[in-house]
Amino acid sequence: MFGLNKQDTTLLIIVAILALFAPFILNPFPEGSALAQFNAGYPDLMQRFVIFGIFAIGFNILFGLTGYLSFGHAAFLGVGSYAAIWMMKLLTMNVIPAIIISVIVAGLISFLVGWISLRRSGIYFSILTLAFAMMMYQLAYSDLFGQLFGGVLTGGETGLQPKVSDPRILDAALAEGATPKAHLFGLEMGASHKMNVGAWSFTFNAGYYIAAFAMLAAFYMSIRIFRSPFGMMLRSVKSNQHRLNYTGLNPKPYTLAAFVISGMYAGLAGGLLVAMDTQVGAERMFWTASGEVVIMTILGGAGTLIGPVLGSGLLKYMENILSKINKSVLESWFSFMPDGMSDFFIAITNLFVGKQWHITTGVIFMLVIIFVPGGLVELGKRIGARLSRKKEPNNTDGSAKPEPAE
Amino acid sequence: MGILEVKGVNKRFGGLQALGDVNLSVKENSVHAIIGPNGAGKSTLLNCLVGKLIPDTGSVMFNGQSVLGRKPYEINQMGISRVFQTPEIFGDLTVRENMMIPIFAKRDGAFRMHAIKDMMREREIVDAADHMLEEMNMADKYGMHAASMSRGDKRRLEIGMCLAQEPRLLLLDEPTAGMARADTNNTIDLLKQISDQRDITIAIIEHDMHVVFSLANRITVLAQGTPLVEDDPENIKGNPKVREAYLGETA
């Protein structure tokens, strides 16, 4: 179906079903129960799952296929966000032009950065991309270009939001005091439908489904790229650039194309972030954000189809759910224990939750790298192989059943 | 006029004169061996032919065109394929994919954005790759990871990948180095078969005299960066200058 082989079609359908029913799947615990804080089925977090999924899918096209490790991809995400917000300020609050322009602008900038950075490979390439990203972050944070031309480009520390007074030439003027809201032909991104089934409560959010649709399209495109001659050339760049050169192929345009494509994916993610939450600040371009997408991709499985989606889901889940578990929550958990014992357990557990959630991430990341370097996908494959020993090992990427981490 | 004409090539690395006034003419459809003791400049010469090094002076003409200043992939597109001392293949890819890449390169040139069509639907490329694998006696290995094959099979695959591009000139850099006797003889047979059946010129750098005298119909002896003699194999065997270069002082 859709020009994919059977295995890939199955994978795409599974991801589509997971995305469609995410509001149910991510809300397994009844409202008000002690476990309700592990529910991830609220719009804001679901949007983040799919948007950062797009970011990681795109990053994987560069890193997973060619092996070029970019440490500056958050810059393209930020560029996409700024481009989108300017569309909302100047043209319309409809998200379509914002998203399109965010992809285009991120593509142009990544072409420029890639053109220069790809003169080197290995660690030097990584350092060059990191340097570019930090320069772009600094330019955004200080709004140097805006100051230079006596206006505003990035809004500096305060960032940018659409205001009532913005020109917005396609939209009717808003009343004084109203807030401009992002919409798709009138359907507001924030619009939600709540469904209550017994003690459970499920939220269906318009913005989430639009972002999920974009993620599915992005995922489909990445499958096509993986299976194409172009994708094979990218893998051959990673495998043996020397041989590629002596086989009459020029690696540079291939790597540059992969760099620009992954930059455009990052731009799409940036544009969608603005569509869901109409504001942008420079902090999303900081180098830690670039590092995050590297971790997502490796955690899920670099070079596999579904890996980046799983990795970003896991990381965003931990960031949002673990960080909310504070001391008082822990106290209620361990209250059944005798005093001294509960204090001990609270102290130990507290190291890994709340503001310290990064420690948990770090531990999980280390365990994955040491024991399953292929990430969650390899873990899934190993479990699958153990469960059915007869099954032949599969060579193709992404063939493992995805775990419902998303 | 040979298909490959090297004229007055000099290459100096600091104080070392690696190549001094090298002249070489490789005739079309011949098997031309370049031999010489360690440090004679054989590899430097080869690197000058494929664009990895640029000579300080002199000219290298292939098929009437200069190769100097061109990138390795451009020289390859002109019709020169190179086999390396240690087999250089795409280890992470399957054997069939390895074979498909040179065929894509031949059809589509140095770069083509070909990102939508499923590569297995490129029937003609897949068929050509399978055909070539059959010719190399590797038809049973097409799904294997190339890195997991034996050294001899990797060498076969590499030679097959070069042939798949239908080059005019095949350069081999010590193709049997580090091989067992049986593998060496297999490689000799394979190369003989290639030069008999195909419209191809082979230039080979080799240490192993058994390989050289089994294959070559023309031999150039390099010593200290300069061609000592160029002659037919029979005459080379008895040449006292060659003996001296290999054994040092005449015994």
Side-chain angles (χ1 to χ4, degrees), chain A residues 15 26 40 55 106 121 252-253 261 304 310 356 385 394 406:
Chain A
V15 173
L26 295 173
F55 190 22
S121 60
K252 174 104 191 249
I261 290 171
T304 64
L310 299 179
Q356 294 86 275
N394 260 318
E406 192 240 1

Side-chain angles (χ1 to χ4, degrees), chain A residues 10-20 215-216 219 306 309 402 406:
Chain A
T10 318
L11 186 66
L12 183 66
I13 290 173
I14 291 172
V15 173
I17 290 172
L18 287 177
L20 188 64
M215 192 274 282
L216 281 176
F219 185 58
I306 190 71
V309 182
E406 192 240 1

Side-chain angles (χ1 to χ4, degrees), chain A residues 178-255:
Chain A
T179 25
K181 283 183 178 142
H183 63 85
L184 177 76
F185 303 112
L187 176 67
E188 274 180 22
M189 293 296 111
S192 287
H193 173 72
K194 263 199 191 289
M195 186 170 102
N196 292 308
V197 183
W200 282 269
S201 166
F202 305 109
T203 315
F204 302 93
N205 170 262
Y208 164 71
Y209 279 105
I210 287 161
F213 177 77
M215 192 274 282
L216 281 176
F219 185 58
Y220 171 71
M221 271 308 297
S222 107
I223 299 179
R224 293 300 295 258
I225 289 172
F226 266 64
R227 299 288 179 244
S228 71
F230 174 69
M232 179 169 70
M233 297 305 174
L234 297 184
R235 281 186 290 134
S236 70
V237 169
K238 183 179 182 178
S239 185
N240 192 341
Q241 229 183 97
H242 198 49
R243 174 38 85 194
L244 200 65
N245 260 311
Y246 288 99
T247 309
L249 289 157
N250 186 359
K252 174 104 191 249
Y254 282 105
T255 45

Side-chain angles (χ1 to χ4, degrees), chain B residues 155-188:
Chain B
R155 170 64 74 218
R156 266 187 121 66
L157 176 63
E158 192 189 23
I159 293 174
M161 286 163 71
C162 288
L163 291 181
Q165 298 186 290
E166 293 164 24
R168 303 277 307 273
L169 174 64
L170 182 64
L171 295 174
L172 298 118
D173 188 359
E174 299 194 29
T176 62
M179 270 190 191
R181 217 0 131 197
D183 274 341
T184 303
N185 288 334
N186 283 339
T187 310
I188 292 173

